[in-house]
Amino acid sequence: INIVLSVNGKVDASTVGDMDTQVLLAQLPLLIAADPRSVMVIGMGSGVTAGSVLTHPIEKIAIVEIEPAILEASEHFKGVNGRPLADPRTTVRVNDARNDLLLSDEMYDVIISEPSNPWISGPSKLFTREFFELARRRLNDGGLLCQWVQLYGLDSEALKTLLRTFSAVFPHRMVFKGSLGDLLVLGSAQPIRIDLARLADRLAGPAVAADLARVSVREPADLLARFRLSSSGVLAYAGIEGPQNTDDNALIE
């Protein structure tokens, strides 16, 4: 059975086709970050990503969701999402994510941004330079932003623009493959280093291992096989010079 979540006619989550992305949006930064304790998830969706975050020994997770009906809809995914809303470490704020980042002084070790597509009015504002700057200001030293970038509906120039914009804010980057047609982009103000020993140790945790087994990641090599671009690789592909996606040009939208 494939359960899908459709928002205004657009499928944004599912129990089959989107599972790799939903799990890895959480697991990737939490496996790589040095000592993640506080996490923000932008967009509830199916709740799978939030549930995957909670397989780690974090202290708190803030879920920021603009539409209360999505929180209600996530109950239909309780067979696969680990029921993150029932975890005492979870706080839910019904708010626009940019407003939340702007007005709150809360800091995070990991921010996970999983909005709908960058060409859709509304979610497009979570792919601009100004949004990336807001997110960076709310990250602790060594903190990571993990951004979902959907490739479908984007031509190569639009993708280059998004990666160029991201690179203008985050000097250190890594790009991984999620589900078919999805990229997961890590960004940080500090160098991103993958510690293989730490990665293997975290992968061995029973809850983490069971979660990742759903997407065929059972050892470090399975995760590293999804690696696509380094910081220099992003610049080689997207270039330094060229347009950026900003609030005032709405280029991708």
Side-chain angles (χ1 to χ4, degrees):
I1 296 174
N2 184 22
I3 302 172
V4 302
L5 173 65
S6 178
V7 181
N8 295 327
K10 165 71 175 59
V11 173
D12 281 326
S14 68
T15 57
V16 178
D18 295 301
M19 192 58 76
D20 284 29
T21 289
Q22 293 170 140
V23 169
L24 292 171
L25 273 166
Q27 293 292 352
L28 189 63
L30 286 164
L31 288 168
I32 292 175
D35 186 26
R37 296 295 176 183
S38 57
V39 179
M40 178 187 197
V41 174
I42 298 173
M44 179 67 175
S46 64
V48 168
T49 299
S52 292
V53 168
L54 291 163
T55 63
H56 291 262
I58 64 158
E59 294 172 358
K60 58 183 179 178
I61 174 176
I63 301 170
V64 180
E65 171 56 56
I66 196 170
E67 175 50 65
I70 300 296
L71 300 171
E72 183 180 346
S74 71
E75 287 296 307
H76 293 283
F77 294 85
K78 61 186 178 182
V80 294
N81 67 15
R83 307 192 73 174
L85 298 182
D87 194 294
R89 294 172 290 174
T90 299
T91 299
V92 177
R93 295 197 288 270
V94 178
N95 195 6
D96 171 75
R98 288 186 52 161
N99 180 268
D100 195 273
L101 288 167
L102 181 66
L103 298 180
S104 169
D105 58 1
E106 193 164 352
M107 301 294 288
Y108 305 95
D109 298 312
V110 172
I111 296 176
I112 299 165
S113 183
E114 50 174 348
S116 194
N117 302 54
W119 41 264
I120 295 177
S121 180
S124 64
K125 297 304 183 187
L126 297 177
F127 291 91
T128 64
R129 184 178 67 205
E130 290 82 357
F131 166 72
F132 296 140
E133 290 169 345
L134 275 175
R136 176 173 167 168
R137 287 202 292 270
R138 290 285 167 251
L139 286 171
N140 292 318
D141 288 343
L144 294 173
L145 171 67
C146 187
Q147 178 72 52
W148 177 21
V149 175
Q150 304 91 340
L151 295 178
Y152 46 95
L154 292 182
D155 61 21
S156 61
E157 288 307 310
L159 177 59
K160 288 177 182 178
T161 297
L162 277 180
L163 292 176
R164 188 184 305 121
T165 305
F166 192 91
S167 300
V169 177
F170 291 101
H172 304 282
R173 307 157 296 272
M174 286 186 180
V175 178
F176 289 78
K177 177 185 178 296
S179 300
L180 181 65
D182 291 337
L183 294 181
L184 309 177
V185 185
L186 291 178
S188 181
Q190 287 80 34
I192 304 171
R193 294 190 173 92
I194 297 178
D195 184 320
L196 283 177
R198 185 170 65 208
L199 181 59
D201 182 62
R202 291 180 183 175
L203 279 168
V208 172
D211 192 43
L212 282 166
R214 299 191 293 175
V215 296
S216 301
V217 174
R218 294 179 174 84
E219 57 185 70
D222 297 327
L223 189 70
L224 298 179
R226 292 175 173 270
F227 175 79
R228 291 296 180 267
L229 292 171
S230 63
S231 288
S232 59
V234 170
L235 291 184
Y237 173 70
I240 299 174
E241 301 297 326
Q244 294 184 23
N245 190 43
T246 66
D247 282 354
D248 60 357
N249 69 18
L251 195 59
I252 305 302
E253 181 184 333

